[in-house]
Amino acid sequence: MTKKEMMDIIVERIKNCKACPLHENRTNVVPGEGNLDSPIMFVGEGPGEDEDLSGRPFVGRAGQLLTKILESVNIKREDVYITNIVKCRPPNNRTPTKEEASICSHYLFAQIEVINPRMIVTLGKPALELFLGKSVAITKVRGNEFEWKGGIIIFPMFHPSYLLRNPSKAKGSPKDLTWQDIKRVRKYYDQFLKERENG
Ligand code: SF4
C-alpha cells in the first residue's frame, strides 16, 4: 500500500469518527494536509472556526501567521505535513480535554507512522504535553529538543495564536524567539533532505 492509500484510510476513519463528544458540533473534520514524504510534521492543538468550516488545518488568522513563519525561511506549507491533536473543533476554541486528546491521538500516531518524520514541531503546550506525557511550561522549553519513540526529534515552538496575542518583535519576545526557532527548523529540514539524497 502507498502512503497515500494508508493516509486515505485514516482520513476516512476520522470522517466517520464519533469516539468523543467533539463530533457533536463539528461542521467538518480536519484531518491534516501536506506532504506525506516530509521529514518534518507540525502538530497543533485543534481546529478553530475557520478550520471547522473549511476542513483544512491552520487556515484562520493563526494559520496564516504559521504560513508566513514557514515562508520566512522559504518553506512552503505544502512542503510539510500540518495537523492537530484533535481532528474536530472544541467548542469556543477551548483546549481539548486530556480525555479527548487521548482518544483522538491514535489517529495522529497513525499519521506519524505513515509519514515517518524525523522531526515533529509541536505548536503550543497541549501538543508538546501529549508527546512528553507530562505538564510543561512552554515558555521554558520552547526551542529545546526532546527525543520521542524511535528517535524522532520533538521540537516545541509557540502556537501562532500566542504570537498574535504577543505581537512585540523586541529581542527575547515570543516572536523573536520563534524567529530563532524556525531558523533551526530550516537547518534541520536541509540536513534531513541532504541525508535522504545521500541515501
Ligand atoms: S475529535 Fe477525534 S476522537 Fe473526537 S470525534 Fe473527532 S475524530 Fe473522533
Side-chain angles (χ1 to χ4, degrees), residues 14 17-20 22-23 26 86-88 100 103-104 107:
I14 292 171
C17 182
K18 294 183 177 174
C20 89
L22 294 183
H23 80 275
R26 74 183 173 212
V86 294
K87 314 303 190 190
C88 305
E100 290 157 355
I103 296 170
C104 200
Y107 294 120

Side-chain angles (χ1 to χ4, degrees), residues 15-66:
K15 280 184 182 164
N16 294 310
C17 182
K18 294 183 177 174
C20 89
L22 294 183
H23 80 275
E24 287 165 14
N25 297 307
R26 74 183 173 212
T27 314
N28 290 294
V29 295
V30 185
E33 67 181 26
N35 178 5
L36 300 182
D37 290 319
S38 174
I40 301 186
M41 284 177 77
F42 286 77
V43 178
E45 181 178 324
E49 188 180 12
D50 294 307
E51 290 77 15
D52 173 67
L53 291 174
S54 65
R56 297 182 56 213
F58 283 93
V59 291
R61 275 185 73 219
Q64 286 161 23
L65 180 55
L66 174 64

Side-chain angles (χ1 to χ4, degrees), residues 83-109:
T83 188
N84 285 296
I85 307 172
V86 294
K87 314 303 190 190
C88 305
R89 181 191 181 199
N92 304 315
N93 297 344
R94 66 160 170 74
T95 303
T97 64
K98 287 242 154 49
E99 200 186 357
E100 290 157 355
S102 149
I103 296 170
C104 200
S105 59
H106 72 267
Y107 294 120
L108 172 64
F109 296 147

Side-chain angles (χ1 to χ4, degrees), residues 86-155:
V86 294
K87 314 303 190 190
C88 305
R89 181 191 181 199
N92 304 315
N93 297 344
R94 66 160 170 74
T95 303
T97 64
K98 287 242 154 49
E99 200 186 357
E100 290 157 355
S102 149
I103 296 170
C104 200
S105 59
H106 72 267
Y107 294 120
L108 172 64
F109 296 147
Q111 290 174 310
I112 293 169
E113 256 186 49
V114 169
I115 294 168
N116 192 21
R118 302 281 304 276
M119 174 182 246
I120 296 173
V121 177
T122 56
L123 300 167
K125 180 179 159 81
L128 177 61
E129 289 183 347
L130 177 78
F131 289 99
L132 297 189
K134 62 177 181 189
S135 184
V136 285
I138 186 75
T139 45
K140 294 217 172 89
V141 298
R142 57 120 287 279
N144 288 305
E145 291 171 22
F146 300 87
E147 198 185 301
W148 194 59
K149 287 180 193 168
I152 297 176
I153 300 167
I154 303 292
F155 187 72

